[in-house]
Amino acid sequence: MSAPATGTGEDVLTGRRTGPRAPAYVWCFLATIVFNVFSGHWDRLGAPVGLDRIAFAGGVLLLVLDPWAWHQRRLRLRPVHVAVVGLVAVAVLSAIAHDTLLGNYGLFALLDRIVVPFAMFCLAPVVFSTAARRALLLKTLVLLGLYLGVTALLETLQLWSFVFPSYIADPDVGIQFGRARGPFAASEAMGMACAACFFAAGLAVVRFRGGWRLLSAAVLALSGGGVLLSLTRSVWVGLVLGVLAVMLIDRRLRRFTPVALLGGAALVAVLLATVPGLQDSVDERAGTTRSVLDRLNTNAAALRVVEQEPLTGVGWTRFVDVASTWVRQADDYPITNVAIEVHNVPLSRAAELGIPGAALFLACIAFGPVRAAFQRGRRDELADWRYVSIGMTAVWLVTIMLSPVPYPLPNTLTWLLAGIALIPYLSEGAEHESGRGSATGRRGPAGT
């Protein structure tokens, strides 16, 4: 059995050198999150293979080969693991049966929507097993929120020469040009990622001191603004519900709910008043009906599929190919677009994988992110991550009911945060790398 990594780490509050450095696999998983923002666009950056996929594969390999990690933090078999394995198996078998596994779209959809998010969820208790490792994740999300928030503002102001990467400024790349799309080249992904960074920055304001606290406060405003500038209604609603859920659940925050609402309203008012054209864009998005009609048509078609093919569906990622045969003209609204995915993820799973696949997907949610929201009984550093998970889960749940949510990073962050919130439930063992300075300031194990 190998010993833990040697060297020095940092106190999660003061930055003082303390215990061992974080193992290489932790940095690989952090790199996966950072590189994931460019997923699908690596060719435009000159990379033949996505660096996020390389980082994830490297992290998994290093983790598997490190017996010390598994010895110190042991996973417990829970119903969520059974549901996860079952859903992956159903999706893989469906893809094989309908010859969509080896195609790029089918394979990447399987990885980005199911395999990688679920793997991050299951491995989170081992990878981020200590307070200082989680502090590294928090800092990563704060820095990511800084980049996304600034990029959203630059896009809205059309300061294209300052935007990186340059493909963000190309209207022929991605979708929804004219909104804040970020490196995802998709406004919904941008809004959801900004929402995740918003909740992480909120925790960082409480957790950190000094410069990191000031930076986190700035990111809290920037990432919140990024959600608004994405002009995505489902993310707007999800963020509001997430904030309300967190503040109403925690009695310490409950009394600040009116202040938080007024602060959010003030931020929105400032952006609307100072960003040229934003008021018109928001009004236009609020009154848009075509996307609603798209959802009605595809959802109705998906229900017909479930009625006719309840056990197997039409096959993994095949709905777009066969949608035209299932869409019918409604009496009270027109057919606008049929070559799109079902804009409801549970219904999409039912249409493509059958009712058993949809049931497994819902079981994963119930035993995963939803259970994390009801995880109680702790009053320590780890318990605060529950609130970050609750906030992001609210955003994700609202959005998956109104969109296919094919974006890798929002899916990954939702499940990763739930896995961290559920560390006491999903695993057993102590934080094995000693160090001073827990996230609450009390003495205790907080090694990196």
Side-chain angles (χ1 to χ4, degrees), residues 12-24:
V12 297
L13 285 175
T14 65
R16 182 181 301 171
R17 294 289 181 178
T18 55
R21 290 191 181 97

Side-chain angles (χ1 to χ4, degrees), residues 131-208:
R133 292 187 192 180
R134 294 188 288 272
L136 288 175
L137 173 61
L138 202 57
K139 290 180 178 180
T140 299
L141 293 177
V142 167
L143 293 176
L144 185 60
L146 176 64
Y147 164 65
L148 294 178
V150 171
T151 300
L153 188 58
L154 293 174
E155 285 185 85
T156 305
L157 296 174
Q158 299 185 8
L159 299 175
W160 302 118
S161 59
F162 297 99
V163 173
F164 175 83
S166 60
Y167 69 76
I168 298 174
D170 188 345
D172 296 325
V173 175
I175 56 177
Q176 302 156 335
F177 185 79
R179 310 187 209 173
R181 309 182 305 159
F184 311 95
S187 64
E188 189 174 57
M190 180 66 160
M192 295 180 74
C194 283
C197 296
F198 173 86
F199 289 109
L203 176 58
V205 168
V206 177
R207 182 68 48 80
F208 297 137

Side-chain angles (χ1 to χ4, degrees), residues 204-234:
V205 168
V206 177
R207 182 68 48 80
F208 297 137
R209 297 173 182 168
W212 274 104
R213 173 173 287 180
L214 295 176
L215 177 62
S216 301
V219 170
L220 190 66
L222 283 169
S223 55
V227 172
L228 174 65
L229 298 177
S230 71
L231 301 179
T232 306
R233 291 168 294 184
S234 58

Side-chain angles (χ1 to χ4, degrees), residues 40 98 100 111 121 126 129 210 251 276 284 292 381 403 425 428 430 432:
H98 294 90
T100 60
L111 291 173
F121 170 80
V126 178
S129 60
R251 66 179 61 183
E284 180 182 355
V292 176
E381 171 270 340
S403 168
Y425 171 73
E428 57 185 358
H432 56 280

